[in-house]
Amino acid sequence: MPDLRPHPYQHQPPRRPRGLARRVDPPPARNEPPDLRWLLYAGVVLAAVIVALATPYLLAYVLQALNGG
């Protein structure tokens, strides 16, 4: 008759898959991350252009609303 009492937990180390090759060399060196500073500058310039173009329209809408238009 099988033992019906629960057995205490025993940790077992994870088993390595049989087909997975072992790494014997260190991983290859990674390249430096790309410098995206120019993308930040382009975003700031684009935001400034949009603000410069939108300002006259916003002022016109505010003045029109204040004058009861």
Side-chain angles (χ1 to χ4, degrees):
M1 182 165 185
D3 187 14
L4 298 177
R5 291 180 299 164
H7 295 286
Y9 174 76
Q10 293 179 354
H11 176 72
Q12 296 177 356
R15 292 185 214 143
R16 186 174 183 81
R18 196 174 304 164
L20 187 62
R22 289 198 176 268
R23 178 182 280 177
V24 293
D25 297 331
R30 293 185 176 183
N31 296 335
E32 292 287 325
D35 184 18
L36 299 178
R37 196 174 308 154
W38 62 271
L39 195 59
L40 176 66
Y41 296 149
V44 169
V45 168
L46 185 61
V49 167
I50 290 173
V51 167
L53 290 175
T55 301
Y57 292 106
L58 289 174
L59 286 175
Y61 290 139
V62 169
L63 290 175
Q64 187 179 12
L66 289 176
N67 289 331

